[in-house]
Amino acid sequence: MTNRVHNFNPGPSTLPLDVLKTIRAELLDYRNTGMSVMEISHRSPEYDEINNQAIALIKKLMGLGDDYHVIFVGGGASTQFAHIPINFLKEGKVAAYVDTGTWSAKAIKEAQNLGIVHLAASSKDGGYIYVPVLEEIDYPNDAAYLHLTSNNTIKGTQYHEFPDSGSVPLICDMSSDILSHDVDFNQFAMFYAGAQKNLGPSGVTLIVLRDDMLERINDGLPTIFDYRTHVEKKSLFNTPPSFTIYVVKLILEWIQEQGGLKAVEDNNIKKKDAIYNLIDANPEYFRAPVRKDSRSWMNIVLRLPSEDLEQKFISEAKTEGLIGLKGHRSVGGIRVSLYNAMTLEGAEKVAEFMENFKRRNG
Ligand SMILES: Cc1ncc(COP(=O)(O)O)c(C=O)c1O
C-alpha cells in the first residue's frame, strides 16, 4: 500500500488499514449479492446481519447485558445534545452538567433552551485545562440526569474515573474516547459517541441506553426524537446510514482481533507515553498546558516556544507524512490525536520528529 500518511486528524480520523482493505475487497460485490453494502436494502437479511453483529459486538466488547440497548442514529453527537433533554428533562427537575470545554458547553446550551440546567462543576475559570475531580461535582439528588464529557477533544483533557452518581442517571458524551480503554460501562445510564474518531467514518452516532431509562422518557415526543422508537425498531425506524454502520461493524471486529479493550488500552498507553514522556523530558521547549492528572490519552495538546515555530512544525511534519497536527483553531498550537487506529509506529514517528525538530530549532 503506497502513499498512506500518518493521519493525526481529530475526526474524521484515521481508520485501520486492514479495515480499509476489507471494505475495498467487499466494495463491488458484498458476499455474493452482486452489490455493495451501499446499494443493498436496509431491510435485507444481509443488512440485518450487519446490524445484529454490530450490536452484539458492542455489548461483548463493553461487557453489557440485556439491560442495555444499543442504537445507531444519524445527526452526529451534536443532535444528542438536544435529544437528551428532550427525552429526559422534565418540568420541575434540573439537568446537571459538568462543563469541561467546547462540547459540554454546546450540550449545556441545548439543555438551557429546553429547561433548567444546574452547573454541577466547571473548569472554565482555569481555561479548561483540567477536568473537575469527583468531589468538586455537586448536584441535587433528584436531578433528571448528570451529563459529562469523558474526553475533551479540543483542550486535550479526559476523565479517567467517573463519579458514582447514585440514583441520578449518569449520561456521558464519549465521542472522542469510546472503546479506547477498559471502562466499566455498566456505571452509565446512557452514553453516546459520534463514530468519526474511534468507531468509523462520520455519519452515525452510537447510543447505549440502560433499560430503565426508557421509562423516564417524556411523553408526546415526535416519534423520531423518542429513543424508544429506535430501540423498538432496532435502529430501523427509517433508513439508517447503513454503509457507515457496516464500517463500524468492521472496526468492532478489528478491536476484537486486537485482543479487545484491554489490548487496545495497552497500545494506547504506549502511544501516549511516547509523546508525553518526551514533553516531560523537555518542559522548557514543549509546553503541555493540561494538568497532569487530566491529560487525555486521545488528544495531546502542546505548545512550542512561539507561534512561528508551531507553524513551521506543522508544515515540516506534513512533508514527512505526518498530517493533521494543527491544534483546534480556538486554542492554537499542536494537537496529536491518537485514536485507536493510529499505530504505535505513527506515535513514535511523531515523537522522533518532535525530538529532531527541537534539536534543529532549539
Ligand atoms: C467530545 C465531542 N462531542 C461531540 C462532538 C460533536 O460531534 P458531531 O460532529 O458528530 O456532532 C465532538 C466532535 O468533535 C466531540 O469531540
Side-chain angles (χ1 to χ4, degrees), residues 31 111 115 126 135 181 188 220 226 232 241 267 303-305 310 354:
R31 309 218 173 149
E135 300 77 58
H181 60 140
F188 302 102
D226 187 322
E232 279 158 23
N267 200 39
R303 305 300 310 246
L304 300 188
E310 287 167 353
M354 285 167 66

Side-chain angles (χ1 to χ4, degrees), residues 75-79 81 103 149 151 153 173 175-176 194 196-197 205:
S78 303
T79 306
F81 295 164
W103 298 111
T149 310
N151 184 74
T153 326
D173 173 3
S175 292
S176 51
Q196 63 272 19
K197 297 152 200 313
T205 304

Side-chain angles (χ1 to χ4, degrees), residues 37 40 81 100 123 172 200 206 243 259 272 276 289 307 327 356 362:
V37 175
I40 63 177
F81 295 164
T100 49
S123 52
C172 193
L206 165 74
F243 190 76
K272 62 101 184 163
Y276 281 127
E307 285 185 16
N356 288 335

